mmCIF file of all heavy atoms in Angstrom:
data_model
loop_
_atom_site.group_PDB
_atom_site.id
_atom_site.type_symbol
_atom_site.label_atom_id
_atom_site.label_comp_id
_atom_site.label_asym_id
_atom_site.label_seq_id
_atom_site.Cartn_x
_atom_site.Cartn_y
_atom_site.Cartn_z
ATOM 1 N N THR A 1 3.523 -3.787 0.303
ATOM 2 C CA THR A 1 2.576 -4.198 1.308
ATOM 3 C C THR A 1 2.048 -3.050 2.020
ATOM 4 O O THR A 1 2.667 -2.038 2.011
ATOM 5 C CB THR A 1 3.309 -5.251 2.243
ATOM 6 O OG1 THR A 1 2.379 -5.872 3.208
ATOM 7 C CG2 THR A 1 4.401 -4.460 3.047
ATOM 8 N N ILE A 2 0.891 -3.212 2.541
ATOM 9 C CA ILE A 2 0.202 -2.125 3.389
ATOM 10 C C ILE A 2 -0.480 -2.641 4.590
ATOM 11 O O ILE A 2 -1.072 -3.781 4.607
ATOM 12 C CB ILE A 2 -0.840 -1.500 2.286
ATOM 13 C CG1 ILE A 2 -1.474 -0.282 2.960
ATOM 14 C CG2 ILE A 2 -1.795 -2.536 1.866
ATOM 15 C CD1 ILE A 2 -2.197 0.541 1.890
ATOM 16 N N SER A 3 -0.530 -1.868 5.672
ATOM 17 C CA SER A 3 -1.154 -2.187 6.838
ATOM 18 C C SER A 3 -2.728 -2.159 6.775
ATOM 19 O O SER A 3 -3.229 -1.731 5.720
ATOM 20 C CB SER A 3 -0.728 -1.374 7.949
ATOM 21 O OG SER A 3 -1.113 0.106 7.782
ATOM 22 N N TRP A 4 -3.396 -2.555 7.787
ATOM 23 C CA TRP A 4 -4.801 -2.679 7.735
ATOM 24 C C TRP A 4 -5.613 -1.482 7.401
ATOM 25 O O TRP A 4 -6.577 -1.443 6.734
ATOM 26 C CB TRP A 4 -5.309 -3.302 8.997
ATOM 27 C CG TRP A 4 -5.195 -2.281 10.217
ATOM 28 C CD1 TRP A 4 -4.058 -1.999 10.889
ATOM 29 C CD2 TRP A 4 -6.235 -1.483 10.720
ATOM 30 N NE1 TRP A 4 -4.342 -1.010 11.846
ATOM 31 C CE2 TRP A 4 -5.651 -0.695 11.763
ATOM 32 C CE3 TRP A 4 -7.618 -1.317 10.418
ATOM 33 C CZ2 TRP A 4 -6.380 0.251 12.516
ATOM 34 C CZ3 TRP A 4 -8.345 -0.460 11.246
ATOM 35 C CH2 TRP A 4 -7.795 0.249 12.238
ATOM 36 N N ASN A 5 -5.011 -0.301 7.882
ATOM 37 C CA ASN A 5 -5.671 0.995 7.670
ATOM 38 C C ASN A 5 -4.929 1.796 6.676
ATOM 39 O O ASN A 5 -5.234 3.094 6.568
ATOM 40 C CB ASN A 5 -5.778 1.717 8.951
ATOM 41 C CG ASN A 5 -4.437 1.983 9.678
ATOM 42 O OD1 ASN A 5 -3.391 1.499 9.226
ATOM 43 N ND2 ASN A 5 -4.406 2.734 10.661
ATOM 44 N N GLY A 6 -3.903 1.284 6.007
ATOM 45 C CA GLY A 6 -3.200 2.083 5.067
ATOM 46 C C GLY A 6 -2.090 2.993 5.540
ATOM 47 O O GLY A 6 -1.510 3.747 4.733
ATOM 48 N N ALA A 7 -1.869 2.989 6.862
ATOM 49 C CA ALA A 7 -1.002 3.975 7.445
ATOM 50 C C ALA A 7 0.477 3.528 7.146
ATOM 51 O O ALA A 7 1.280 4.518 7.194
ATOM 52 C CB ALA A 7 -1.237 4.105 8.906
ATOM 53 N N ILE A 8 0.775 2.365 7.033
ATOM 54 C CA ILE A 8 2.170 1.907 6.788
ATOM 55 C C ILE A 8 2.262 1.121 5.536
ATOM 56 O O ILE A 8 1.437 0.198 5.202
ATOM 57 C CB ILE A 8 2.565 0.983 8.003
ATOM 58 C CG1 ILE A 8 2.280 1.578 9.438
ATOM 59 C CG2 ILE A 8 3.952 0.447 7.823
ATOM 60 C CD1 ILE A 8 2.578 0.714 10.598
ATOM 61 N N THR A 9 3.221 1.505 4.666
ATOM 62 C CA THR A 9 3.592 0.828 3.460
ATOM 63 C C THR A 9 5.027 0.619 3.313
ATOM 64 O O THR A 9 5.807 1.334 3.748
ATOM 65 C CB THR A 9 3.025 1.652 2.210
ATOM 66 O OG1 THR A 9 3.707 3.005 2.315
ATOM 67 C CG2 THR A 9 1.574 1.842 2.319
ATOM 68 N N TYR A 10 5.307 -0.468 2.509
ATOM 69 C CA TYR A 10 6.755 -0.818 2.236
ATOM 70 C C TYR A 10 6.781 -1.178 0.759
ATOM 71 O O TYR A 10 5.831 -1.842 0.298
ATOM 72 C CB TYR A 10 7.234 -1.935 3.060
ATOM 73 C CG TYR A 10 7.344 -1.576 4.527
ATOM 74 C CD1 TYR A 10 6.460 -2.097 5.500
ATOM 75 C CD2 TYR A 10 8.253 -0.754 5.088
ATOM 76 C CE1 TYR A 10 6.544 -1.848 6.826
ATOM 77 C CE2 TYR A 10 8.374 -0.382 6.417
ATOM 78 C CZ TYR A 10 7.464 -0.990 7.340
ATOM 79 O OH TYR A 10 7.454 -0.714 8.586
ATOM 80 N N TYR A 11 7.908 -0.903 0.046
ATOM 81 C CA TYR A 11 8.023 -1.173 -1.345
ATOM 82 C C TYR A 11 9.412 -1.881 -1.647
ATOM 83 O O TYR A 11 10.328 -1.583 -0.923
ATOM 84 C CB TYR A 11 7.940 0.090 -2.157
ATOM 85 C CG TYR A 11 6.627 0.821 -2.051
ATOM 86 C CD1 TYR A 11 6.381 1.741 -1.222
ATOM 87 C CD2 TYR A 11 5.624 0.482 -3.018
ATOM 88 C CE1 TYR A 11 5.132 2.461 -1.140
ATOM 89 C CE2 TYR A 11 4.331 1.125 -2.943
ATOM 90 C CZ TYR A 11 4.120 2.118 -1.954
ATOM 91 O OH TYR A 11 2.979 2.739 -1.860
ATOM 92 N N ALA A 12 9.397 -2.772 -2.551
ATOM 93 C CA ALA A 12 10.658 -3.228 -3.062
ATOM 94 C C ALA A 12 11.477 -2.116 -3.781
ATOM 95 O O ALA A 12 10.871 -1.133 -4.294
ATOM 96 C CB ALA A 12 10.439 -4.356 -4.154
ATOM 97 N N ASP A 13 12.791 -2.097 -3.575
ATOM 98 C CA ASP A 13 13.575 -1.091 -4.137
ATOM 99 C C ASP A 13 13.381 -0.874 -5.677
ATOM 100 O O ASP A 13 13.488 0.242 -6.084
ATOM 101 C CB ASP A 13 15.066 -1.356 -3.899
ATOM 102 C CG ASP A 13 15.466 -1.223 -2.385
ATOM 103 O OD1 ASP A 13 14.766 -0.512 -1.631
ATOM 104 O OD2 ASP A 13 16.572 -1.763 -1.987
ATOM 105 N N SER A 14 13.037 -2.017 -6.310
ATOM 106 C CA SER A 14 12.954 -1.987 -7.730
ATOM 107 C C SER A 14 11.709 -1.065 -8.192
ATOM 108 O O SER A 14 11.624 -0.746 -9.305
ATOM 109 C CB SER A 14 12.842 -3.325 -8.368
ATOM 110 O OG SER A 14 11.781 -4.032 -7.770
ATOM 111 N N VAL A 15 10.739 -0.872 -7.346
ATOM 112 C CA VAL A 15 9.505 -0.175 -7.745
ATOM 113 C C VAL A 15 9.307 1.034 -6.910
ATOM 114 O O VAL A 15 8.381 1.774 -7.230
ATOM 115 C CB VAL A 15 8.287 -1.116 -7.588
ATOM 116 C CG1 VAL A 15 8.468 -2.482 -8.409
ATOM 117 C CG2 VAL A 15 7.957 -1.420 -6.066
ATOM 118 N N LYS A 16 10.071 1.296 -5.906
ATOM 119 C CA LYS A 16 9.933 2.478 -5.053
ATOM 120 C C LYS A 16 9.968 3.723 -5.881
ATOM 121 O O LYS A 16 10.892 3.931 -6.661
ATOM 122 C CB LYS A 16 10.927 2.533 -3.947
ATOM 123 C CG LYS A 16 10.633 3.597 -2.873
ATOM 124 C CD LYS A 16 11.599 3.388 -1.610
ATOM 125 C CE LYS A 16 11.231 4.413 -0.663
ATOM 126 N NZ LYS A 16 12.158 4.210 0.527
ATOM 127 N N GLY A 17 8.928 4.589 -5.667
ATOM 128 C CA GLY A 17 8.958 5.881 -6.427
ATOM 129 C C GLY A 17 8.102 5.780 -7.674
ATOM 130 O O GLY A 17 7.789 6.762 -8.317
ATOM 131 N N ARG A 18 7.848 4.612 -8.171
ATOM 132 C CA ARG A 18 7.044 4.367 -9.391
ATOM 133 C C ARG A 18 5.618 3.748 -9.136
ATOM 134 O O ARG A 18 4.751 3.998 -9.777
ATOM 135 C CB ARG A 18 7.825 3.420 -10.358
ATOM 136 C CG ARG A 18 9.218 4.083 -10.673
ATOM 137 C CD ARG A 18 9.781 3.139 -11.928
ATOM 138 N NE ARG A 18 9.985 1.811 -11.443
ATOM 139 C CZ ARG A 18 9.546 0.698 -11.949
ATOM 140 N NH1 ARG A 18 8.660 0.850 -12.952
ATOM 141 N NH2 ARG A 18 9.816 -0.454 -11.561
ATOM 142 N N PHE A 19 5.580 2.885 -8.101
ATOM 143 C CA PHE A 19 4.443 2.120 -7.746
ATOM 144 C C PHE A 19 3.804 2.682 -6.398
ATOM 145 O O PHE A 19 4.611 3.096 -5.509
ATOM 146 C CB PHE A 19 4.625 0.592 -7.534
ATOM 147 C CG PHE A 19 4.922 -0.060 -8.812
ATOM 148 C CD1 PHE A 19 5.176 0.635 -9.988
ATOM 149 C CD2 PHE A 19 4.917 -1.455 -8.788
ATOM 150 C CE1 PHE A 19 5.594 -0.089 -11.176
ATOM 151 C CE2 PHE A 19 5.324 -2.214 -9.943
ATOM 152 C CZ PHE A 19 5.617 -1.545 -11.140
ATOM 153 N N THR A 20 2.479 2.702 -6.308
ATOM 154 C CA THR A 20 1.772 3.102 -5.089
ATOM 155 C C THR A 20 0.804 2.067 -4.674
ATOM 156 O O THR A 20 -0.155 1.775 -5.509
ATOM 157 C CB THR A 20 1.217 4.458 -5.238
ATOM 158 O OG1 THR A 20 2.207 5.444 -5.578
ATOM 159 C CG2 THR A 20 0.583 4.878 -3.937
ATOM 160 N N ILE A 21 0.948 1.521 -3.564
ATOM 161 C CA ILE A 21 -0.130 0.643 -3.000
ATOM 162 C C ILE A 21 -1.117 1.342 -2.209
ATOM 163 O O ILE A 21 -0.768 2.310 -1.350
ATOM 164 C CB ILE A 21 0.485 -0.557 -2.190
ATOM 165 C CG1 ILE A 21 -0.517 -1.608 -1.855
ATOM 166 C CG2 ILE A 21 1.247 -0.095 -0.940
ATOM 167 C CD1 ILE A 21 0.051 -2.916 -1.209
ATOM 168 N N SER A 22 -2.390 1.094 -2.250
ATOM 169 C CA SER A 22 -3.484 1.774 -1.505
ATOM 170 C C SER A 22 -4.604 0.852 -1.312
ATOM 171 O O SER A 22 -4.677 -0.368 -1.869
ATOM 172 C CB SER A 22 -3.938 3.117 -2.180
ATOM 173 O OG SER A 22 -4.453 2.750 -3.432
ATOM 174 N N ARG A 23 -5.595 1.155 -0.366
ATOM 175 C CA ARG A 23 -6.616 0.325 -0.260
ATOM 176 C C ARG A 23 -7.942 1.201 0.137
ATOM 177 O O ARG A 23 -7.840 2.244 0.762
ATOM 178 C CB ARG A 23 -6.466 -0.621 0.945
ATOM 179 C CG ARG A 23 -6.190 0.027 2.279
ATOM 180 C CD ARG A 23 -5.596 -0.975 3.345
ATOM 181 N NE ARG A 23 -6.528 -2.086 3.480
ATOM 182 C CZ ARG A 23 -6.188 -3.277 4.038
ATOM 183 N NH1 ARG A 23 -4.836 -3.453 4.453
ATOM 184 N NH2 ARG A 23 -6.994 -4.230 4.230
ATOM 185 N N ASP A 24 -9.048 0.561 -0.083
ATOM 186 C CA ASP A 24 -10.366 1.150 0.268
ATOM 187 C C ASP A 24 -11.144 0.107 0.967
ATOM 188 O O ASP A 24 -11.777 -0.703 0.304
ATOM 189 C CB ASP A 24 -11.107 1.735 -1.009
ATOM 190 C CG ASP A 24 -12.283 2.518 -0.680
ATOM 191 O OD1 ASP A 24 -12.877 2.438 0.384
ATOM 192 O OD2 ASP A 24 -12.797 3.311 -1.523
ATOM 193 N N ASN A 25 -11.156 0.142 2.268
ATOM 194 C CA ASN A 25 -11.644 -0.951 3.018
ATOM 195 C C ASN A 25 -13.249 -0.898 2.858
ATOM 196 O O ASN A 25 -13.899 -1.968 3.011
ATOM 197 C CB ASN A 25 -11.398 -0.856 4.517
ATOM 198 C CG ASN A 25 -9.942 -1.260 4.763
ATOM 199 O OD1 ASN A 25 -9.324 -1.874 3.965
ATOM 200 N ND2 ASN A 25 -9.414 -0.907 5.981
ATOM 201 N N ALA A 26 -13.852 0.320 2.646
ATOM 202 C CA ALA A 26 -15.272 0.350 2.453
ATOM 203 C C ALA A 26 -15.688 -0.321 1.133
ATOM 204 O O ALA A 26 -16.757 -0.867 1.101
ATOM 205 C CB ALA A 26 -15.650 1.885 2.362
ATOM 206 N N LYS A 27 -14.784 -0.398 0.252
ATOM 207 C CA LYS A 27 -15.086 -1.084 -0.968
ATOM 208 C C LYS A 27 -14.557 -2.493 -1.065
ATOM 209 O O LYS A 27 -14.568 -3.224 -2.075
ATOM 210 C CB LYS A 27 -14.616 -0.287 -2.165
ATOM 211 C CG LYS A 27 -15.325 1.103 -2.434
ATOM 212 C CD LYS A 27 -14.709 1.793 -3.637
ATOM 213 C CE LYS A 27 -15.362 3.078 -3.898
ATOM 214 N NZ LYS A 27 -14.782 3.843 -5.123
ATOM 215 N N ASN A 28 -13.879 -2.913 -0.018
ATOM 216 C CA ASN A 28 -13.246 -4.169 0.145
ATOM 217 C C ASN A 28 -12.203 -4.383 -1.047
ATOM 218 O O ASN A 28 -12.288 -5.519 -1.552
ATOM 219 C CB ASN A 28 -14.252 -5.248 0.240
ATOM 220 C CG ASN A 28 -13.944 -6.275 1.266
ATOM 221 O OD1 ASN A 28 -13.258 -6.066 2.233
ATOM 222 N ND2 ASN A 28 -14.443 -7.478 1.069
ATOM 223 N N THR A 29 -11.400 -3.398 -1.330
ATOM 224 C CA THR A 29 -10.475 -3.467 -2.515
ATOM 225 C C THR A 29 -9.113 -2.902 -2.215
ATOM 226 O O THR A 29 -9.002 -1.974 -1.415
ATOM 227 C CB THR A 29 -11.267 -2.708 -3.644
ATOM 228 O OG1 THR A 29 -12.432 -3.189 -3.961
ATOM 229 C CG2 THR A 29 -10.344 -2.776 -5.005
#
């Protein structure tokens, strides 16, 4: 999960270190 501006993220233990969540609000993606 990720905060509105991308500043805060949390991951499940099973994926931490392997997955990265990010966002581009300008692209609405």
Side-chain angles (χ1 to χ4, degrees):
T1 188
I2 187 169
S3 61
W4 71 282
N5 61 355
I8 303 172
T9 59
Y10 298 107
Y11 297 90
D13 289 342
S14 60
V15 307
K16 190 173 184 179
R18 300 187 298 119
F19 291 11
T20 302
I21 187 171
S22 63
R23 64 192 299 160
D24 187 338
N25 288 346
K27 296 181 178 180
N28 225 25
T29 303

